[in-house]
Amino acid sequence: MPIVDSKSGNVVKDYTIAELEEAANRMRGYNLISLACAKSGHSGGTLSIMDIAAALYLKVATHDPKDPFWDGRDRIIWSTGHKAPALYIALGMSGYFPVEDVAKLRKLYAPYQGHPHWLKLDGVEASTGSLGQGLSIANGLALAAKLDGKDHHVYCLTGDGEHQEGQIWEAVMEAGHFKLDNLINILDKNRLQIDGWVKDVMDIDPVIEKYKAFKWEVMECDGHNMAEIVDALEKAKAVKGKPTLIVAHTVKGKGVSFMEDVAGWHGKAPSVEQMEQGLKELGLEGKMPVEEMFKMASDYQEAATAKLEAKMPKFGKDYFWNSGERMKADMTPTRKGFGKALCDLGDQPQIVCLGADISDSITISDFYKSCPERTERFLSMGIAEQSATGVAAGLAKEGKLPVFGTYGVFASGRNLDQLRTTVAYGQFNVFVAGAHGGVSVGPDGATHQALEELFQMCGLPNMHVEVPCDYFETRRASEYLLFKVKGPKYIRFAREATPVVTDDNTPWVFGKANVIRYRGEQDKFADAFEHTLAEKYRSEKEDVAIIACGPSVPEAMRAAYILKEEYGIETRVVNMHTVKPLDRDAIIQTAKDVDIVITAEEHQVGGMGNQIAAVIAQAKELFGKQVIMGMIGVQDRFGESGAPWELVKEFEVSAEHIAAKAKDLYDFARKK
């Protein structure tokens, strides 16, 4: 049954196959426009799944856009959450909201997050983004329906690369075991993932035979033949006694010639020119509300920016990065320092790198890119973080030096038990890279913004944890961890280009903090500061100390600049790049010298801050010494979509927020 009025039971509209084909084509047009407006997002998979989305939402699934939580509706789970734009467009075409609203895709405060969030948008059944989890959710929905005697169906949309996740196969086994004949899994088999062809990265075939072995009914269809798609979906609804898999054979980037079958378009948005070319190829030139949607996006962004800026602390002038004539900062992604270290040191034969489908993004592929002879020591593990962690432990057991890297949310969370039991407990020499740390990851949203790793990694016995502040420190830390630290080790670094504040001559010792002092305005931001190894630093009777790690170090430095120029407040910045083991002596000496200590981290507040506070609270050397503390960090919130620097402001981890906190505590202390 198609879209219905749940109160009357009447069908709102029943699309013909020809109308569905036309709708799917327009949906592709909206997709290109929304991605171009966002300047980020996933083109390839959204285009491959669009015919399926059109058939499901406009023809086959029972739902009521005017009553999104009507109990009699079919449930649809997008396990392949990065294809969210296709979901949003399908909802818009169904009548949940004006479809043109997708122009706000991935913008700050908008409900159209980079990955779907069910609490932000009606029609979204579950928050997804971490691949491999949606089918388990669908199982739960299908089981609940069975227990309650309800007759609706549960649909789950999955991808072929996603089938490399072990949890998928646990869910497949469960569904077959429980005979969930109200469950239909639609596999968008477009044959490509970020790192290349699925068959080359980690082959999932023969996927049909595997499902059959787990007691599923299996059907196949051309995922771009609307009649075949609808026929398969209708037949699946009639299956009794077992769950159904529909393997939809599709083309990644379908409909746009330069995107079709190109892995590089997995997570890339078209430029305006590419969007226009795509619309032309779809036969939609002059037929889509392009100007209206771009104006909507622009107007929305202007309003969001005004709302954000109204919340920012105000000072005598704009101190934001590169806003003035002087204090210019060079910006380079910290992740490139990790890649450079692997490139430079990769000739060491014991190094084996393990990629997890985002190899270029986190730069682990730099290990072999300019040295193809190293390719045999680069293992594509696919989207399978838990198994990859165990494999790394096995390699280490046999004397190899494994380097495993992926986004921080997956490198520290998806595989936490494997890191705990297999790596840390066994004290194996495994180097784990947690990339894309913090909210500055940007528009991908909460599911891909790592904000909890310090709780997780620092809580593991035997683990060494490094959080470098810029490109140079990331490169130097990576080199040191590779060869000088034996045992479990974790490095956390960011995605966005961030200020370069160190160089090869800056003091850097693993496990030892640096003190950074502002010395006065210069043409280059980095030249305005002096770095000293903390154990060699002597107090200058500063008013405030800011202990920071990672990208929060440049922000702390900028806060010190603001505090001095605006209020004459002298600030000691402590770069606590090694978060485990902490430089206890540097912390205690700072608390001896300074009455106000603030911690700063682009992480859930307390990840590092609680550890600093614990050192101060337990130090006998500080008995009788009054120290007032403040903490800057994400305030017990999940992230959301937005531009990287917008999110640094929105989540109150910018220099302005650090400086405002410092001034507040400074004024409070003086009154006392």
Side-chain angles (χ1 to χ4, degrees), residues 1-228:
M1 185 183 291
I3 301 168
V4 299
D5 180 335
S6 57
K7 291 184 172 57
S8 67
N10 295 330
V11 173
V12 174
K13 178 173 174 56
D14 190 1
Y15 284 76
T16 66
I17 296 299
E19 287 173 330
L20 285 174
E21 290 170 344
E22 182 182 354
N25 196 55
R26 287 188 65 81
M27 289 165 70
R28 285 191 168 88
Y30 281 118
N31 190 56
L32 292 176
I33 299 167
S34 67
L35 290 168
C37 286
K39 299 179 182 177
S40 74
H42 297 76
S43 297
T46 49
L47 291 171
S48 72
I49 206 169
M50 202 64 79
D51 297 300
I52 297 164
L56 194 55
Y57 281 86
L58 302 180
K59 179 71 174 176
V60 177
T62 301
H63 60 123
D64 181 1
K66 293 180 179 171
D67 189 1
F69 295 103
W70 166 50
D71 194 51
R73 74 193 184 281
D74 288 334
R75 275 63 163 172
I76 306 174
I77 300 296
W78 286 66
S79 186
T80 177
H82 58 278
K83 298 173 187 174
L87 162 60
Y88 303 149
I89 292 163
L91 291 174
M93 291 287 287
S94 300
Y96 285 81
F97 48 81
V99 67
E100 292 79 12
D101 267 14
V102 295
K104 303 169 188 173
L105 177 69
R106 291 178 160 234
K107 295 197 179 298
L108 185 64
Y109 309 128
Y112 312 106
Q113 296 284 291
H115 293 77
H117 187 7
W118 83 287
L119 297 177
K120 289 183 179 287
L121 187 65
D122 287 348
V124 176
E125 291 285 354
S127 303
T128 56
S130 181
L131 290 175
Q133 299 185 18
L135 189 57
S136 298
I137 299 171
N139 281 352
L141 298 179
L143 284 164
K146 290 281 189 183
L147 291 169
D148 293 339
K150 296 176 180 177
D151 61 0
H152 61 260
H153 281 84
V154 179
Y155 298 90
C156 188
L157 299 171
T158 59
D160 42 0
E162 182 178 18
H163 276 68
Q164 294 158 356
E165 284 283 12
Q167 185 175 344
I168 280 278
W169 297 104
E170 295 177 25
V172 171
M173 177 173 58
E174 292 161 358
H177 175 77
F178 290 116
K179 300 180 173 60
L180 298 180
D181 54 11
N182 55 348
L183 172 67
I184 301 167
N185 180 18
I186 306 163
L187 168 54
D188 176 21
K189 200 168 191 289
N190 62 37
R191 301 165 294 124
L192 278 169
Q193 56 190 109
I194 300 175
D195 277 1
W197 295 101
V198 173
K199 65 181 177 60
D200 296 330
V201 175
M202 186 61 64
D203 198 359
I204 67 167
D205 282 324
V207 72
I208 290 173
E209 286 75 6
K210 291 174 183 176
Y211 267 84
K212 286 181 177 178
F214 282 113
K215 305 170 188 174
W216 283 60
E217 183 73 20
V218 180
M219 304 176 185
E220 296 181 77
C221 71
D222 178 345
H224 303 305
N225 183 312
M226 193 61 71
E228 284 193 28

Side-chain angles (χ1 to χ4, degrees), residues 15 20 97 118 277 375 380 408 427 448 480 547 564 642:
Y15 284 76
L20 285 174
F97 48 81
W118 83 287
Q277 177 62 30
T375 304
S380 286
Q427 296 193 49
H448 285 54
Y480 189 89
I547 303 178
K564 177 63 175 177

Side-chain angles (χ1 to χ4, degrees), residues 106 118 120 156 178 225 260 281 334 428 463 645 652:
R106 291 178 160 234
W118 83 287
K120 289 183 179 287
C156 188
F178 290 116
N225 183 312
E260 288 189 354
E281 292 186 13
T334 53
F428 287 123
M463 185 64 74
W645 292 105
E652 301 182 357

